Amino acid sequence: MTLESVKPEVIVYVVSDAAGDTGEIVVRAAIAQFHPIHTEIRRAPFVTDEAALTRITELAKLSGAIVLYTLVMPELREAMRRLTEENGISSVDLLGPFIETLERRTGRKSRQEPGLNHVLDADYFRKVEAVEFAVKYDDARDPSGVLKADIVLVGVSRTSKTPLSMYLAHQKYKVANVPLVPELKPPDELFKLPKNKIIGLTINTSYLNVIRKERLKALGLPDTAAYATTDRIEKELKYAAEIMQKLGCVVIDVSHKAVEETASLIMEYIRQH
């Protein structure tokens, strides 16, 4: 049975009069606390009228979904509140209460302009640059990126190096990652870095065994391939541990950790060093 065929335990509609990025980030952060339940997020972006909210409400009621909304326009917020209440739908107004609190505190009305958090400012361009950097220097395709990075992740295959690179890029960190494989010599650039820029990622043998078997199945390959055997995994982890010891870097065990949790540990370490 594929993941897609499993009925989600929770369905969440993220409703927004902009792109809906903020709402989805919050939903994913909350869902991570309930791993491994299967959740489906359905975005409803760029909503501009009550008719669209009515359609979304009908769909949410049919599927027994939760509705989380980030609506800047007060008339849309009120319509969403009323519609979900009338239909007995669990809902969360993510922006409304705080916008109203700020209006009371400042004595000023909000600008009521959806999407202002995506204004093309310097911060936005730093994020775009970081994402492009993570893609370019993923998996040590170009080892020169190691010397240009804010953070360098090292570890064996399937320790979440690429997902972490992308997550950290969205926090505006330039991240390169280097796979550690016994048959391949790590790039010389890696040993020229300050150790506080390098993050070693390790993982429990049995957990990695399960992950790699699932990866092979997803590729249509037999899960008995050497890549997923316990002997091979132990050999790789031992080699990786030796390299990390030579580098003198901090090591994080990613076993059973969500990407967000590991990223939080990395960012806290980088801030302190």
Side-chain angles (χ1 to χ4, degrees), residues 53-232:
L53 295 179
T54 300
R55 289 193 297 273
I56 294 162
T57 305
E58 291 169 353
L59 292 170
K61 186 175 183 179
L62 284 172
S63 57
I66 297 169
V67 172
L68 180 141
Y69 52 102
T70 56
L71 297 166
V72 171
M73 303 302 292
E75 62 272 21
L76 290 179
R77 284 204 308 271
E78 175 55 28
M80 187 82 270
R81 183 202 62 75
R82 175 173 48 77
L83 286 166
T84 52
E85 188 175 289
E86 289 174 354
N87 286 277
I89 297 169
S90 297
S91 66
V92 179
D93 179 1
L94 192 61
L95 292 183
F98 192 53
I99 287 175
E100 291 164 5
T101 298
L102 286 172
E103 287 179 335
R104 288 194 297 271
R105 175 60 63 88
T106 63
R108 299 172 62 180
K109 298 295 289 182
S110 75
R111 292 171 63 176
Q112 299 180 9
E113 296 178 39
L116 284 183
N117 58 324
H118 290 117
V119 171
L120 302 185
D121 56 11
D123 205 47
Y124 173 85
F125 286 112
R126 280 197 298 273
K127 183 186 294 186
V128 170
E129 185 181 4
V131 170
E132 290 175 347
F133 187 96
V135 172
K136 182 175 181 179
Y137 298 112
D138 182 45
D139 238 12
R141 290 179 192 143
D142 180 352
S144 68
V146 166
L147 298 176
K148 304 171 189 174
D150 301 318
I151 302 170
V152 178
L153 305 177
V154 299
V156 302
S157 173
R158 312 312 293 175
T159 48
S160 299
K161 295 187 299 299
T162 297
L164 277 167
S165 295
M166 295 307 298
Y167 186 96
L168 291 166
H170 279 85
Q171 308 305 314
K172 300 179 288 295
Y173 289 99
K174 291 181 179 178
V175 185
N177 72 76
V178 177
L180 298 180
V181 184
E183 292 78 15
L184 296 176
K185 181 177 177 291
D188 293 335
E189 290 86 349
L190 194 58
F191 297 90
K192 298 175 183 177
L193 285 176
K195 64 182 181 181
N196 60 359
K197 277 195 170 188
I198 307 170
I199 306 292
L201 304 174
T202 191
I203 192 169
N204 176 273
T205 300
S206 58
Y207 187 52
L208 183 54
N209 176 254
V210 171
I211 291 172
R212 288 193 174 182
K213 283 184 175 180
E214 288 301 316
R215 177 60 177 163
L216 288 171
K217 287 179 185 176
L219 294 172
L221 299 171
D223 63 7
T224 53
Y227 173 73
T229 63
T230 300
D231 287 347
R232 173 65 191 185

Side-chain angles (χ1 to χ4, degrees), residues 247-267:
L247 293 168
C249 64
V250 67
V251 178
I252 297 176
D253 188 336
V254 301
S255 305
H256 305 286
K257 283 188 175 69
V259 167
E260 294 88 349
E261 183 181 356
T262 305
S264 178
L265 293 172
I266 292 171
M267 289 187 288

